[in-house]
Amino acid sequence: MIVLQFDGLIPVVVQDARTGEVLMVAYANDEALRLTRQTGFAHFYSRSRKKLWKKGEESGHVQKIREILVDCDEDCLLYLVEQTGAACHTGYRTCFYRTIDGVIVSEQIADPSKVYANKGQ
Amino acid sequence: MIVLQFDGLIPVVVQDARTGEVLMVAYANDEALRLTRQTGFAHFYSRSRKKLWKKGEESGHVQKIREILVDCDEDCLLYLVEQTGAACHTGYRTCFYRTIDGVIVSEQIADPSKVYANKGQ
């Protein structure tokens, strides 16, 4: 077993296990990874809010872990997940919904104003 | 057109455009992105060597760009590529060749001792 021990944060790529689509990139610390493995649902560390979060804790758009892969240098993770709803807070299926030239290449499958309307409830 | 302007480095996820496999994560600065767009081949910035590099400059395992996507926050890129040879310096097809429990889930398709034998020539 690989024992990952890292100070600070490492990037996590999240990929849809069914479609192969890359959904998002977020960051994890040791605790986020531990919770992800323990609960079977993706957890991250928010750099802006400076706290742990479970993906979908507000929106319900959780990510059930199917597999966790680690890269050659052991400084990056890949979560293969079953995504519920939209991965992106904008309502798009993936955060990578645009080309660098601004062309939309994904679908908006949720209305963010509704998804986050019950925040805190 | 989205004009990405970033100080420092942003992570770049590289995905095989044909198979959907996530191949690696590296970092880009403005110059690496400019060269990637200009030449049509993936360029990055090496944090350890502190210099720009073209993927495959030594190994020949280049990545031809098919599309560049940007995420919602515009702080991460996704290169969709046609990969020549192995993406990983270990000779595996992808850098994510192991689960977090150490199980190998990819193929070693190149012998790294041969791939890098002609370094500098």
Side-chain angles (χ1 to χ4, degrees):
Chain A
M1 178 179 165
I2 299 167
V3 180
L4 279 178
Q5 290 185 319
F6 41 88
D7 294 326
L9 302 176
I10 61 171
V12 180
V13 181
V14 183
Q15 184 176 29
D16 189 305
R18 288 175 283 221
T19 66
E21 193 167 36
V22 174
L23 299 174
M24 57 184 274
V25 170
Y27 292 82
N29 59 7
D30 265 336
E31 181 67 1
L33 177 58
R34 193 186 65 73
L35 282 169
T36 298
R37 301 186 77 177
Q38 182 184 303
T39 65
F41 286 91
H43 287 70
F44 304 100
Y45 183 87
S46 168
R47 295 175 301 170
S48 55
R49 290 181 287 152
K50 295 185 172 43
K51 62 170 217 169
L52 280 172
W53 58 292
K54 178 186 176 185
K55 173 68 184 170
E57 63 190 355
E58 291 178 12
S59 63
H61 294 169
V62 295
Q63 295 172 335
K64 187 173 180 186
I65 298 291
R66 199 185 282 180
E67 189 73 89
I68 301 176
L69 302 178
V70 59
D71 79 340
C72 51
D73 296 329
E74 299 178 9
D75 59 6
C76 188
L77 298 175
L78 175 60
Y79 290 175
L80 294 171
V81 305
E82 294 173 24
Q83 174 71 55
T84 298
C88 188
H89 72 288
T90 59
Y92 283 93
R93 207 173 57 231
T94 165
C95 293
F96 295 94
Y97 61 88
R98 290 169 301 174
T99 71
I100 200 166
D101 296 316
V103 178
I104 304 286
V105 292
S106 183
E107 303 167 79
Q108 202 169 22
I109 58 173
D111 178 345
S113 68
K114 289 182 183 158
V115 168
Y116 295 96
N118 298 319
K119 179 177 172 178
Q121 292 184 7
Chain B
M1 179 179 164
I2 298 167
V3 180
L4 277 178
Q5 289 186 319
F6 42 86
D7 294 327
L9 303 176
I10 62 170
V12 180
V13 181
V14 183
Q15 184 177 30
D16 189 305
R18 288 175 285 221
T19 66
E21 194 167 34
V22 174
L23 300 173
M24 58 184 273
V25 170
Y27 292 83
N29 60 6
D30 265 337
E31 181 66 1
L33 176 58
R34 193 187 64 75
L35 282 169
T36 298
R37 302 187 75 177
Q38 183 183 304
T39 65
F41 286 92
H43 287 69
F44 304 100
Y45 183 88
S46 168
R47 295 176 300 170
S48 55
R49 290 180 287 151
K50 294 186 172 44
K51 63 170 217 168
L52 280 172
W53 57 293
K54 178 187 175 185
K55 173 67 184 171
E57 64 191 354
E58 292 179 12
S59 63
H61 294 169
V62 296
Q63 295 172 335
K64 187 174 181 186
I65 298 291
R66 199 184 283 180
E67 189 73 89
I68 302 177
L69 302 178
V70 59
D71 78 340
C72 50
D73 296 329
E74 298 177 12
D75 59 5
C76 188
L77 298 175
L78 175 60
Y79 290 175
L80 293 170
V81 305
E82 295 173 24
Q83 173 72 55
T84 297
C88 188
H89 72 287
T90 60
Y92 284 93
R93 209 172 56 233
T94 166
C95 293
F96 295 94
Y97 61 88
R98 291 170 300 175
T99 70
I100 199 166
D101 296 315
V103 179
I104 304 286
V105 292
S106 183
E107 302 168 79
Q108 201 170 22
I109 57 172
D111 178 344
S113 68
K114 290 183 182 158
V115 169
Y116 295 95
N118 297 319
K119 181 177 171 177
Q121 292 184 6

